[in-house]
Amino acid sequence: MSEIVVDVWLYGGLSKYGRGAEQGSFANLEARLRGGSTIGDLLAHLQMPSRERGITFINSQLSAMPGLQPDMDHILSDGDRAAFFHLNSMWPFQYRLGAAMIRELAEAMQAGKDEGLHHSYGEHESTTE
Amino acid sequence: MWLIRVNMTDLTSSVGPLPDAYQHLGGRGMTSTIVAKEVPPLCHPLGPNNKLVFAPGIVTGTPAPTSARVSAGAKSPLTGGIKESNGGSSWAADLADMQVRALVVEGQAKKNGKFWGLHLLWDAAASQPKVEFFDASEHAGKDLFEVFPKVYAKFGDKISISGCGVSGEYGYGNAGIVYNDPAKGPTRYSGRGGLGSVMGSKGLKLIVLSREGTPGVPITDEALFDQGRKKMIDALRTHDITKPKGALNTYGTAVLINIMNEAGGLPTRNFSSGRFEGAAKTAGEAIFEGNKQRLGKELYNHACSPGCIIQCSNTWHNPDGTEAASCVEYESDWALGANCGIDSLDDIATMVKLCNGYGLDTIETGATIGVIMEAGVIPFGDSQGAINLIHEMGKGTPLGRILGGGTGFAGKAYGMTRVPAVKGQGMPAYEPRAVKGIGITYATSTMGADHTAGYTIAPEILGVSGKQDPLTPEGKAALSRGFQAATAFIDTSGHCLFIAFAVLDIASGMEGMVEECNGVLGTQWTTADIGRVGAEVLKAERAFNEAAGLGKETDRIPEFMRTEPLPPHNQVFDVSDEALDSVYAEL
Ligand code: SF4
């Protein structure tokens, strides 16, 4: 199968997976993958554990939120842009109501509690003792 | 509890008990109710018949976390409609601790180049607040960074300050009302809608509050209040967005720059694209990393006001480690950055500081400069040119006055068609063509284009759960209606809107907010009352706007957003007028 090139953006602390492409608070690199590769394959290529990523975009379409990652099997195409955010980012609901999402995430939101009407989807762990 | 009226025409004041009808109001609920009742909707906003009202929220001044907020309200010189603009400062808590639930400034002083100050203090003998006038003319025409230290020097350390900058003296549509920050600087604002000019038009420059001897806010049911407060604290300390070292405390609101950019919804170069190639250099992550490099250690954010446990306010530092500007909020960062094609945090910070010194609303200022750049006055990306334009505003030159009139006014002056404003108010940092839900709120809010008009809370409280598909325009309109009502309630409670991030996902936090209010007021509200109380506020605001000539025909997104597809999604704003009209028709 032919090779694809994905334009990868890693923000905040995730820039450490940028293989030398770090620019302080972010990293931008090209990942060369086998045709038919998925987000899961890209994460493996970057050696980035999926639990470390939060909000994720594929070509400006939201594909994952913290605690909700239905995009692992999403197949990437040549020239795609994939952006991964650290867990200290946020995108409150009112500022993404009506924004573009990949089909897998839209379905997961619909099926989830309150049709996805939340700011974040993980467990909220107390940092106070 | 007291209601203070100050008449600037004859320089008199009266301190009276809070009327029964106002007992359960606070914050925005109070300011909007008084403005709607007492201000003639067709009056000139800068004339003697407008009134400027300040009200702390219901729980402001109590130990409820993240609640030192004040609402300022009047008829807006920017929109011509009702305006409430919220700010966080010790000024809010001090007004509440004086047991003042509303301060109403009326009339208009004879100018003769003179400006007045008000000094509110607690009269222990009479057990009530009292008002003194002082001549503040020496502070007219001065940078607020010069004014504030002089006011502290005169009145001592145990005070809080609000005021207007030179922009408010000139009568600009983009003049805010300033409050002191914890470091005694002039950086906290009720920024939007030109309320600084309403203050200036009255001949009023400063309002100084002395906290010495003030009795504090009485609490009707201490146990209930405490129970609510604990629930709220627990929610804020637990949620990913609001907890210590969480999203807001680490990166501040500017964490949204990279997110909106990746979403294709970061308005760039006067709303001509949804993606800015320089975004990452100006984002919250870059502020955190840049500060770390310049200070040699990690710096987490601070509280804008006493008692905030979210602590989202950042500070950008110069290469030598001195303070460059506080606070570089997402909207300021965007307005003066991506929207102007500027990618230097140092230049953005310089502009934020200039706005703070001149008393300008950063959002309106940046939105206006974006339009003027497109008009060719200076090129996109020219940060020195943009800095010069802000100085023009501060100096009150003819060009500065055109820009100070706001986004819509400057757009007209230069014959522009791509003017991002609703009801004359410049649009903040979320592109309606990429995020259609926020577009509905921008279009229909009583405030003009306002990103703080519709915060999300739980669907069962909004009354929309399972009723409508949120993916349809009608479903989004129903959500926007619920969000706007919930927001009006939070603005009434005195909590900072950012508590909404936590209480949406943690239901006990929502109960906590209502219990805190019940504890203070002795009411028996339940979470089911949130929508009702909020809707009453919105109805009063809406009625004022309609009487002022801002009917549903003005609930519209600028035409260019319906015709020009926005890259990278290449979408237009396609929510029908019927869906927009349903937001208030069904309130
Ligand atoms: S969350 Fe931020 S804006 Fe709100 S009160 Fe706290 S520091 Fe101020």
Side-chain angles (χ1 to χ4, degrees):
Chain A
M1 251 194 235
S2 61
E3 186 184 71
I4 60 166
V5 180
V6 179
D7 182 21
V8 179
W9 292 76
L10 303 168
Y11 289 104
L14 298 186
S15 62
K16 69 178 181 227
Y17 297 106
R19 302 162 161 247
E22 298 95 318
Q23 302 183 46
S25 60
F26 68 100
N28 178 211
L29 65 149
E30 287 189 341
R32 293 176 183 279
L33 304 170
R34 282 194 9 238
S37 290
T38 62
I39 284 281
D41 296 329
L42 173 58
L43 291 170
H45 171 83
L46 297 167
Q47 298 183 325
M48 183 166 83
S50 195
R51 66 172 183 279
E52 287 192 29
R53 69 170 171 131
I55 298 168
T56 305
F57 292 92
I58 305 167
N59 297 328
S60 295
Q61 303 203 27
L62 186 63
S63 72
M65 290 289 290
L68 195 58
Q69 301 188 334
D71 58 351
M72 289 297 275
D73 296 328
H74 183 94
I75 294 171
L76 294 163
S77 305
D78 189 40
D80 276 356
R81 173 172 173 139
F84 299 97
F85 284 85
H86 50 89
L87 292 167
N88 255 347
S89 196
M90 63 167 191
W91 197 12
F93 185 86
Q94 67 270 8
Y95 298 138
R96 64 180 145 87
L97 172 60
M101 282 185 262
I102 65 164
R103 183 185 45 78
E104 297 91 319
L105 182 63
E107 286 171 5
M109 290 252 179
Q110 279 287 307
K113 183 168 173 281
D114 299 328
E115 297 175 348
L117 201 155
H118 284 278
H119 292 313
S120 70
Y121 303 86
E123 292 296 308
H124 298 284
E125 283 169 36
S126 185
T127 54
T128 50
E129 54 278 357
Chain B
M1 307 304 282
W2 307 98
L3 185 147
I4 297 182
R5 289 185 189 272
V6 172
N7 188 333
M8 295 303 297
T9 307
D10 54 11
L11 301 179
T12 56
S13 67
S14 68
V15 177
L18 188 71
D20 282 348
Y22 294 171
Q23 289 293 338
H24 296 165
L25 298 175
R28 176 177 175 182
M30 182 74 81
T31 60
S32 287
T33 301
I34 294 178
V35 172
K37 205 164 158 199
E38 300 187 9
V39 174
L42 295 175
C43 75
H44 196 294
L46 302 182
N49 292 322
N50 199 1
K51 297 187 183 186
L52 178 61
V53 186
F54 294 92
I58 292 167
V59 303
T60 304
T62 71
T66 309
S67 67
R69 307 285 305 189
V70 61
S71 168
K75 176 171 174 170
S76 163
L78 186 72
T79 67
I82 199 164
K83 174 58 64 179
E84 93 91 32
S85 185
N86 214 273
S89 167
S90 62
W91 197 89
D94 286 351
L95 190 63
D97 286 344
M98 226 174 259
Q99 303 194 337
V100 177
R101 292 276 290 278
L103 168 63
V104 184
V105 183
E106 315 180 352
Q108 192 154 49
K110 294 226 171 21
K111 287 269 182 61
N112 312 325
K114 230 185 158 116
F115 278 91
W116 293 94
L118 298 177
H119 182 205
L120 272 63
L121 60 171
W122 186 251
D123 182 346
S127 273
Q128 65 176 58
K130 75 172 175 190
V131 181
E132 294 171 350
F133 290 83
F134 63 93
D135 188 342
S137 307
E138 61 174 308
H139 302 299
K142 300 272 164 51
D143 189 301
L144 288 167
F145 284 96
E146 265 178 62
V147 172
F148 268 45
K150 287 190 182 145
V151 179
Y152 278 106
K154 176 171 171 184
F155 290 93
D157 279 347
K158 293 191 176 131
I159 59 161
S160 295
I161 307 173
S162 77
C164 65
V166 287
S167 54
E169 298 170 28
Y170 299 143
Y172 288 177
N174 67 353
I177 288 178
V178 66
Y179 310 97
N180 62 279
D181 63 25
K184 301 182 183 158
T187 72
R188 306 306 312 184
Y189 271 85
S190 283
R192 305 233 67 193
L195 295 182
S197 289
V198 178
M199 191 168 183
S201 73
K202 303 207 165 297
L204 181 61
K205 181 73 185 167
L206 294 163
I207 306 174
V208 177
L209 308 180
S210 285
R211 68 179 70 97
E212 192 94 60
T214 53
V217 177
I219 294 175
T220 307
D221 184 340
E222 289 271 2
L224 183 62
F225 172 80
D226 237 42
Q227 176 181 314
R229 181 178 74 96
K230 286 196 181 113
K231 286 182 187 171
M232 177 62 83
I233 290 175
D234 197 51
L236 296 180
R237 288 219 172 121
T238 307
H239 194 276
D240 294 337
I241 295 180
T242 54
K243 68 188 181 186
K245 298 199 176 180
L248 284 168
N249 184 231
T250 308
Y251 294 117
T253 53
V255 74
L256 281 164
I257 293 263
N258 284 326
I259 291 283
M260 291 309 298
N261 191 49
E262 285 298 342
L266 183 74
T268 299
R269 295 187 185 83
N270 190 32
F271 290 74
S272 61
S273 170
R275 197 182 268 163
F276 178 46
E277 66 286 354
K281 287 198 223 166
T282 65
E285 289 91 340
I287 295 174
F288 188 79
E289 279 305 314
N291 277 333
K292 192 162 129 188
Q293 274 174 19
R294 291 179 174 186
L295 297 172
K297 60 169 194 219
E298 285 184 347
L299 178 69
Y300 290 85
N301 295 330
H302 63 270
C304 74
S305 51
C308 177
I309 60 173
I310 300 176
Q311 308 199 349
C312 77
S313 289
N314 64 12
T315 306
W316 175 244
H317 289 83
N318 293 312
D320 64 2
T322 55
E323 177 176 324
S326 177
C327 158
V328 185
E329 295 282 9
Y330 167 60
E331 284 76 18
S332 312
D333 195 359
W334 157 81
L336 300 161
N339 190 50
C340 296
I342 291 169
D343 66 2
S344 157
L345 268 175
D346 287 320
D347 292 337
I348 292 167
T350 299
M351 289 188 267
V352 168
K353 183 151 190 190
L354 287 174
C355 287
N356 287 340
Y358 290 136
L360 300 166
D361 170 15
T362 51
I363 299 177
E364 199 64 43
T365 298
T368 304
I369 293 175
V371 171
I372 278 327
M373 284 177 155
E374 184 169 319
V377 175
I378 56 170
F380 283 112
D382 177 4
S383 40
Q384 191 51 52
I387 288 168
N388 293 342
L389 290 180
I390 297 175
H391 282 304
E392 299 266 350
M393 289 183 231
K395 286 182 198 141
T397 64
L399 174 58
R401 285 172 188 265
I402 289 172
L403 304 180
T407 311
F409 184 79
K412 270 188 196 155
Y414 282 86
M416 304 304 292
T417 54
R418 192 186 289 139
V419 180
V422 178
K423 300 184 178 76
Q425 178 163 291
M427 201 175 272
Y430 309 86
E431 234 306 338
R433 286 166 286 185
V435 187
K436 293 187 179 149
I438 193 79
I440 295 173
T441 298
Y442 283 167
T444 60
S445 157
T446 48
M447 299 292 144
D450 184 338
H451 65 288
T452 64
Y455 266 50
T456 315
I457 63 163
E460 59 272 17
I461 290 166
L462 299 170
V464 296
S465 200
K467 281 195 196 151
Q468 255 161 332
D469 178 359
L471 297 178
T472 62
E474 293 70 27
K476 289 195 197 81
L479 281 176
S480 177
R481 175 167 57 245
F483 293 173
Q484 292 188 48
T487 301
F489 182 90
I490 299 172
D491 283 338
T492 296
S493 79
H495 277 297
C496 175
L497 268 181
F498 293 174
I499 60 117
F501 297 138
V503 305
L504 165 60
D505 298 335
I506 302 173
S508 58
M510 184 86 69
E511 290 159 21
M513 174 170 68
V514 175
E515 287 166 1
E516 288 170 345
C517 291
N518 286 338
V520 172
L521 297 176
T523 41
Q524 262 114 43
W525 291 341
T526 67
T527 50
D529 290 303
I530 291 175
R532 177 188 58 80
V533 173
E536 280 168 16
V537 177
L538 294 180
K539 280 181 189 157
E541 293 173 352
R542 181 75 178 185
F544 181 95
N545 278 0
E546 282 175 359
L550 296 181
K552 65 180 185 179
E553 303 74 20
T554 63
D555 288 349
R556 298 293 180 260
I557 286 294
E559 186 186 36
F560 77 90
M561 292 185 171
R562 291 197 176 274
T563 55
E564 288 179 23
L566 181 86
H569 291 292
N570 295 316
Q571 289 266 321
V572 295
F573 186 76
D574 54 3
V575 177
S576 69
D577 291 350
E578 291 71 37
L580 293 176
D581 290 344
S582 73
V583 172
Y584 275 84
E586 292 169 27
L587 183 72

